Amino acid sequence: MDLHIFLITTHLIGVALGVGGATFGGILYLKALKDGKIDPMEGEWLSIIFTTLRVGLVITVLSGFGFLLEYRMTGQEERLLDPRLWAKLTIIFILVSNALLMQMRKIPMWLGEGLSITSWYGALTLGIIRGADYSYFTFLIFYAIAVFVIIGVLSIIKKLYLGKYFI
Amino acid sequence: MTQTLSILLSVHIIIGVIGIIASYATLLWLFKKNISVRLLKISSITAFVAYITAWITGGYYYVVYYGSNVKPIIKDGPNPWAHSIIMETKEHIFLFLPLLAFVILLTVWFKGNNLQENRPLRNALALVVLITLIISVFMALGGVIISGSARL
């Protein structure tokens, strides 16, 4: 297996764990809130999911920097200044800052959850789209709009499932 | 670039990112409900060793190769500021990292058992870790810009 295939494989595993963890973390959290409290078993499941998510984040970041190294070593340095790459790095930065603020309980759950899901899916989208020649700020405007949309959608889902708004 | 230098540059980048992850883990674990001193010891020593290794490998690459081969390309390119501002800043501010990581390591190893009850100590340590993390993230992103400007 050459280095590029190894990087793609590990990056995909990391993204799968991250996106899957964020999605199932959200679903289980919602289910746990149905009876108004998180019991020890639900707490344990959520803890396992968030640990998996963080493992996914570590694998994604390490393999992501592996790609940057590959660009440097194979004469593709111009790709290191690609606005799409920098938008992705910014979203990852928001993602890890959000995780920290959630751990410190300095951010409301509805905002943290919305940022986490949007950031994972946003980074995934930026990783797979091709031919989107937008500027760095255009990508971030799309991301900011997506954050508001996802928070709104999550709020509606919670209203339908739990019968009350959380924002 | 020789194979040895390629390996050194690769080690510099990957171990630097491992240092960032270890500093981030230290900060995250400091805010757990039940602080695990064992985990903090692992993350703080990983960060310290990583920054020292990144310092040595990056320093060697800089002295032997960067100055005579990469720097002139960047200075003649469209982004000369990538060297004159970012690399110059990186060169000097990087030196804080091993020292800050050492302070964190000593605090965790010698005062780790007090972190759970002593909130001012935990918060002060968290601030030092946060500063370390911010500097190390800046180092990594600066490195991406410098490498990207080496060809344009």
Side-chain angles (χ1 to χ4, degrees), chain A residues 54 58 61-62 65-66 68-69 72-73 75 77-78 80-81 85-86 89 93 96 99-100 103-105, chain B residues 1 6 9-10 13-14 17-18 21 24 27-28 31-32 61 70 79 140-141 144-145 147-149 151-152:
Chain A
R54 281 169 194 160
V58 168
V61 169
L62 274 176
F65 270 86
L68 304 187
L69 187 59
R72 172 74 177 88
M73 296 299 182
E77 288 92 341
E78 69 282 354
L80 296 173
L81 299 182
L85 171 74
W86 280 87
L89 287 172
F93 179 75
V96 295
L100 190 61
Q103 178 84 20
M104 293 165 72
R105 292 171 176 75
Chain B
M1 199 188 321
S6 297
L9 182 60
S10 306
I13 293 170
I14 297 298
V17 176
I18 289 171
I21 292 169
Y24 179 73
L27 192 54
L28 211 58
F31 287 98
K32 279 186 84 133
Y61 168 81
V70 183
N79 301 331
L141 296 180
V144 176
I145 293 175
S147 288
S149 304
R151 190 179 166 86
L152 288 171

Side-chain angles (χ1 to χ4, degrees), chain A residues 41-109:
Chain A
M41 179 61 94
E42 290 166 336
E44 202 170 312
W45 276 109
L46 283 169
S47 170
I48 291 168
I49 287 178
F50 288 127
T51 304
T52 308
L53 194 151
R54 281 169 194 160
V55 170
L57 182 61
V58 168
I59 294 172
T60 309
V61 169
L62 274 176
S63 55
F65 270 86
F67 280 120
L68 304 187
L69 187 59
E70 187 192 24
Y71 297 156
R72 172 74 177 88
M73 296 299 182
T74 53
Q76 303 177 70
E77 288 92 341
E78 69 282 354
R79 295 182 73 174
L80 296 173
L81 299 182
D82 184 350
R84 200 158 54 103
L85 171 74
W86 280 87
K88 205 171 159 184
L89 287 172
T90 306
I91 290 173
I92 296 291
F93 179 75
I94 293 170
L95 186 69
V96 295
S97 304
N98 179 52
L100 190 61
L101 290 171
M102 283 173 86
Q103 178 84 20
M104 293 165 72
R105 292 171 176 75
K106 296 283 184 195
I107 189 168
M109 197 58 194

Side-chain angles (χ1 to χ4, degrees), chain A residues 97-141:
Chain A
S97 304
N98 179 52
L100 190 61
L101 290 171
M102 283 173 86
Q103 178 84 20
M104 293 165 72
R105 292 171 176 75
K106 296 283 184 195
I107 189 168
M109 197 58 194
W110 59 266
L111 179 58
E113 199 182 6
L115 277 173
S116 174
I117 290 178
T118 316
S119 300
W120 272 110
Y121 279 94
L124 172 69
T125 308
L126 284 173
I128 57 175
I129 55 165
R130 293 287 173 268
D133 294 324
Y134 301 113
S135 71
Y136 171 75
F137 289 105
T138 308
F139 280 123
L140 288 192
I141 289 168

